[in-house]
Amino acid sequence: MRAACLQMVYELAKKDPRVFFIGSDLGTGTLDAFKREMPERFFMEGVSEANLIGLAAGLALDGKIPYVNTIATFLTRRCFEQIVLDACLHNVNVRLLGIGGGLAYAPLGPTHLAVEDMAILRAIPNMTIVAPADADEMRRLMPLTLEHQGPIYVRIAKGNDPIVSRTDVPFAIGRALPMRAGSDALIVTTGITLKNGLDAAASLESSGIRAGVLHVPTLKPLDRDAILDAIAPVRAVVTVEEHTICGGLGTAVAELLAEAAFAPSKRFRRLGIPDVFPDEYGSQASLMERYSITAAAVVAAVTQLAH
Amino acid sequence: MPGSRTVNSHARSTAPLDERSRELRRVIVRMVQAAGRGHLASAFSVVEILRVLYDDVLRYDPKNPRWPLRDRCLLSKGHGCLGLYPILAEKGFFDPAELWKFSKRDGILGGHPEYGKVPGVEASTGSLGHGLSIGIGFALSARHDRTGARVFVVIGDGESDEGSVWEAAMCASKHCLGNLIALTDYNKQQSYGSTSEVLDLEPLADKWRSFGFAVTEVDGHDVAALRAAIPAAPDPAGRPTMVICHTVKGRGVDFVERDLMWHHKNKISEDEVRALLAGLDTP
């Protein structure tokens, strides 16, 4: 997904002179072709995130489209105020590309786990947050970032992801994507958890539970109507995210659900990282297992709620 | 230390304030009177810096504030905005009647300047340590587009406590941004006390030199000296410039200069307003 994202930045830059790339201290060789062919629009500015965002906002205030790329934790937490004021208050076209969203950097420990990135950014007016499911969805997203007005955070999850998004479900920023129909339950996903949701729905079908899957790559602005329409006919709703349950997808859906006051009321559960700092290393998969962000956990939750 | 020696020689401004400088301060007092509050002393500190920039240095068109070839000026120490608003109004960026609605619900002029609300304000500032990085973005953009525009960023001394200022300093120097001119309003006072007590910046000139800037120092209330100190053209060696302006917080009224309580003042009484205006009668 990361390779697809950066390749798209390069391709967008070749066709649009407004595109600038700003990295912090990325791996050697990152976007070498961009640097070679368009050196006047390629910047690698060191471990100085506050300065990167301010600089990008200055370029964007002047009509440029800067794509700022570094590790998601540092891109969101270290320079949070610059994101709020320089990018979002000015409402300019800064694009934040956060590498390693979620638990991807499990072996590196909690300093590198971006598990509250979407929660903190969701609180900022004007911000758009997109977490694609896979490399193909990333390729559908990136061209749209040229004309979208206002700042965007793109959550880049771990690479080599299986492709589960589909071309027959048209992608648009701000739109929830119905991936599977089902009248008993609804599984709501964002980012790479789309695969967990689809696997769970397939498994549930074999035990007679028809679960729909609604994929929400754009966490903000939330596609409220599509989500409420999908929730309306089912009894059970389960959200699943590679993110803390405080303030992310689950919270956003819970807010909608509570205010919609469905009668009869729905049964609802959030799957995600609980309100703790992960205390194990291992792998992304092992941490997802530990915190029940798996197809099996979705199956269990839906089964319990649907009956 | 060479830095300290230079600072001492500029420690007190001896330049008298001419009628224009005193009138700009009277407008500030009347705005504070209308609002009942404001960063009065911080504004008095920066009046001559902004006056010289807008009178003598910057290239701009108040009727077309987004003119692409304009020079950019950022008041990174946004709390000094009372020093900026009267000048922008006088130059025609907006209706001077706005001045009397400072901080009011129906006004465009807040306690910190906002982009999109105030014509002529290039970025919203108020939180410290943001302006220099945004200015670098402007300077890189101007270089890329070959507009010839220059970028001026006025920062505070208390603001220079922020690490982001020094991230930006390294970046400006790396990119040889000769079109970037920073000015420090160095009044040596921050909210709690003197900068030497709270977080000493000295040797400030040497710091900026070591970060790759061309550094000049000037009496920040001496209009002629400021005109001479602000470079008329980009640095030929491609260095960004830092003009350290030695100023006096609250400059213009004796009792404001002496009392840190005037950094930000609420509930300013009519007696205090009369005393402020009387204090401005003498150069």
Side-chain angles (χ1 to χ4, degrees):
Chain A
M1 196 187 300
R2 177 184 178 183
C5 180
L6 293 186
Q7 176 65 22
M8 287 301 302
V9 174
Y10 167 69
E11 286 171 19
L12 295 174
K14 281 207 294 188
K15 70 175 190 181
D16 192 324
R18 298 174 300 169
V19 172
F20 282 57
F21 180 79
I22 305 166
S24 60
D25 186 26
L26 302 174
T28 188
T30 299
L31 279 179
D32 261 352
F34 190 133
K35 183 181 181 184
R36 194 170 53 246
E37 294 166 32
M38 299 166 281
E40 73 286 356
R41 289 188 279 143
F42 179 94
F43 295 89
M44 193 64 69
E45 296 306 308
V47 190
S48 59
E49 292 82 3
N51 183 55
L52 296 192
I53 304 298
L55 186 162
L59 286 169
L61 280 162
D62 233 19
K64 311 295 189 285
I65 307 175
Y67 289 75
V68 186
N69 181 213
T70 188
I71 292 175
T73 48
F74 313 131
L75 185 59
T76 55
R77 298 201 289 239
R78 186 53 172 262
C79 46
F80 185 66
E81 196 190 53
Q82 277 74 16
I83 294 175
V84 173
L85 298 178
D86 301 352
C88 293
L89 177 60
H90 292 126
N91 198 16
V92 286
N93 298 336
V94 171
R95 278 75 181 99
L96 307 174
L97 311 176
I99 308 165
L103 298 164
Y105 287 126
L108 302 183
T111 57
H112 281 58
L113 299 181
V115 295
E116 76 297 284
D117 51 337
M118 299 198 285
I120 61 176
L121 298 179
R122 201 166 77 86
I124 315 172
N126 295 333
M127 179 56 96
T128 291
I129 303 170
V130 189
D134 55 33
D136 279 9
E137 194 162 81
M138 180 66 82
R139 286 189 197 93
R140 289 194 279 276
L141 159 68
M142 290 299 284
L144 306 179
T145 62
L146 276 185
E147 300 307 330
H148 183 87
Q149 203 54 45
I152 306 174
Y153 173 66
V154 178
R155 189 190 222 213
I156 306 173
K158 193 176 180 181
N160 304 317
D161 34 73
I163 301 300
V164 288
S165 65
R166 298 203 310 264
T167 50
D168 61 321
V169 184
F171 181 90
I173 293 172
R175 190 173 299 163
L177 310 179
M179 303 298 291
R180 184 187 175 110
S183 53
D184 298 324
L186 180 71
I187 301 164
V188 188
T189 68
T190 189
I192 61 157
T193 61
L194 172 58
K195 176 162 182 4
N196 305 86
L198 291 171
D199 288 352
S203 169
L204 285 161
E205 187 171 34
S206 61
S207 47
I209 297 174
R210 287 159 300 179
V213 177
L214 183 68
H215 178 46
V216 184
T218 307
L219 193 60
K220 182 173 183 165
L222 201 62
D223 190 350
R224 302 166 61 97
D225 292 345
I227 294 171
L228 288 172
D229 286 350
I231 288 175
V234 301
R235 171 174 162 80
V237 180
V238 171
T239 60
V240 54
E241 59 195 308
E242 188 193 11
H243 186 271
T244 170
I245 55 167
C246 305
L249 173 72
T251 304
V253 173
E255 289 162 358
L256 281 184
L257 198 58
E259 291 185 341
F262 283 108
S265 62
K266 311 291 183 184
R267 303 189 71 192
F268 175 69
R269 183 161 308 161
R270 295 169 294 159
L271 297 180
I273 299 155
D275 188 16
V276 297
F277 288 105
D279 57 356
E280 286 180 3
Y281 302 108
S283 65
Q284 178 188 29
S286 71
L287 279 182
M288 289 182 70
E289 186 80 36
R290 172 163 171 70
Y291 293 120
S292 300
I293 310 167
T294 59
V298 176
V299 168
V302 170
T303 305
Q304 193 186 21
L305 296 185
H307 286 305
Chain B
M1 281 185 289
S4 313
R5 206 166 48 241
T6 327
V7 165
N8 288 336
S9 72
H10 286 286
R12 298 295 295 180
S13 171
T14 51
L17 300 181
D18 64 12
E19 175 52 25
R20 174 159 162 68
S21 278
R22 283 181 286 137
E23 181 56 23
L24 285 168
R25 283 176 174 77
R26 286 187 200 106
V27 175
I28 293 169
V29 171
R30 292 189 194 104
M31 290 174 71
V32 168
Q33 180 184 22
R37 59 162 300 281
H39 282 96
L40 184 118
S42 311
F44 278 12
S45 178
V46 82
V47 166
E48 281 68 40
I49 296 170
L50 294 172
R51 165 189 166 179
V52 168
L53 284 173
Y54 282 88
D55 282 359
D56 304 304
V57 178
L58 294 170
R59 203 169 47 153
Y60 57 89
D61 177 3
K63 296 301 165 214
N64 183 13
R66 302 281 173 90
W67 176 42
L69 302 185
R70 72 193 183 280
D71 292 331
R72 269 62 165 180
C73 182
L74 282 164
L75 182 60
S76 190
K77 51 166 288 180
H79 60 285
C81 59
L82 278 166
L84 176 66
Y85 295 151
I87 295 172
L88 292 180
E90 176 199 64
K91 299 296 180 188
F93 280 98
F94 53 81
D95 181 353
E98 283 293 336
L99 296 174
W100 319 122
K101 292 191 280 181
F102 171 62
S103 287
K104 297 260 198 271
R105 194 173 177 181
D106 60 342
I108 62 169
L109 306 177
H112 295 96
E114 272 195 77
Y115 170 81
K117 276 192 182 167
V118 188
V121 167
E122 301 282 0
S124 299
T125 53
S127 177
L128 299 173
H130 290 242
L132 198 54
S133 295
I134 295 173
I136 289 171
F138 287 150
L140 288 169
S141 180
R143 172 188 288 176
H144 178 267
D145 297 346
R146 296 181 173 80
T147 62
R150 290 199 295 164
V151 181
F152 297 80
V153 184
V154 180
I155 68 174
D157 45 14
E159 174 173 17
S160 304
D161 296 348
E162 290 281 6
S164 55
V165 169
W166 303 99
E167 290 181 9
M170 282 191 281
C171 181
S173 152
K174 165 191 163 180
H175 289 292
C176 303
L177 291 177
N179 59 346
L180 179 73
I181 297 94
L183 303 100
T184 299
D185 175 14
Y186 195 16
N187 57 41
K188 299 159 200 79
Q189 300 287 339
Q190 51 196 110
S191 184
Y192 182 79
S194 70
T195 54
S196 63
E197 290 170 299
V198 176
L199 191 57
D200 197 3
L201 297 171
E202 287 302 318
L204 186 59
D206 288 348
K207 278 196 178 75
W208 284 102
R209 273 187 208 103
S210 74
F211 275 76
F213 278 60
V215 179
T216 56
E217 295 187 71
V218 65
D219 178 337
H221 299 295
D222 184 331
V223 170
L226 277 165
R227 282 188 196 119
I230 298 172
D235 180 63
R239 290 173 302 177
T241 296
M242 169 53 76
V243 183
I244 295 179
C245 305
H246 294 278
T247 53
V248 177
K249 193 160 189 169
R251 177 67 207 274
V253 177
D254 278 347
F255 66 86
V256 178
E257 292 180 22
R258 286 194 304 271
D259 187 354
L260 273 177
M261 293 306 289
W262 283 90
H263 169 77
H264 180 273
K265 196 86 163 86
N266 284 321
K267 298 179 180 142
I268 293 169
S269 70
E270 288 303 311
D271 283 348
E272 286 170 324
V273 168
R274 274 190 291 278
L276 287 165
L277 292 172
L280 286 166
D281 282 345
T282 50

